[in-house]
Amino acid sequence: MPYGDILLHTGDFTELGLPSEVKKFNDWLGNLPYEYKIVIAGNHELTFDKEFMADLVKQDYYRFPSVSKLKPEDFDNVQSLLTNSIYLQDSEVTVKGFRIYGAPW
């Protein structure tokens, strides 16, 4: 990874947004030397969208067999697993004079 003060990761850090994938990504972030690590979910982080997931788990959706096995409590607050970064979802943060807004939609 190149040197920098701020790492801005703008999505697709998991395959499906499974809690195990988010934890692995969070561990990776924890080993990076950046002063600020800012994360915004992408279209692969399915579990970060609670409404979408609520509909998806009701279906036997063939494209995401791993997700269909999840219970709502498995993804209720998956964003909280990102302890080594600032997570932005329809929110903003100012770091080093830069105002950064994040929206995964």
Side-chain angles (χ1 to χ4, degrees):
M1 298 290 293
Y3 172 79
D5 296 323
I6 302 170
L7 172 71
L8 182 60
H9 198 296
T10 57
D12 295 351
F13 49 88
T14 69
E15 193 170 328
L16 297 173
L18 300 175
S20 60
E21 295 174 321
V22 177
K23 287 176 187 175
K24 184 176 179 180
F25 175 70
N26 186 63
D27 290 345
W28 177 74
L29 284 175
N31 290 318
L32 297 178
Y34 301 95
E35 184 177 355
Y36 296 95
K37 302 160 197 170
I38 301 169
V39 175
I40 304 163
N43 65 317
H44 284 243
E45 284 71 57
L46 301 177
T47 58
F48 285 58
D49 185 341
K50 291 180 187 181
E51 290 179 28
F52 175 79
M53 285 302 297
D55 290 336
L56 184 63
V57 296
K58 293 176 187 173
Q59 304 170 25
D60 185 19
Y61 200 54
Y62 71 94
R63 286 184 58 196
F64 306 111
S66 304
V67 171
S68 64
K69 295 174 187 164
L70 288 176
K71 298 183 256 354
E73 57 269 19
D74 293 332
F75 59 85
D76 187 42
N77 196 18
V78 74
Q79 298 91 329
S80 67
L81 299 174
L82 293 173
T83 58
N84 291 319
S85 65
I86 300 166
Y87 177 67
L88 299 179
Q89 181 167 321
D90 302 325
S91 57
E92 66 180 52
V93 66
T94 300
V95 292
K96 295 200 172 264
F98 292 98
R99 186 172 161 198
I100 303 165
Y101 181 85
W105 320 113

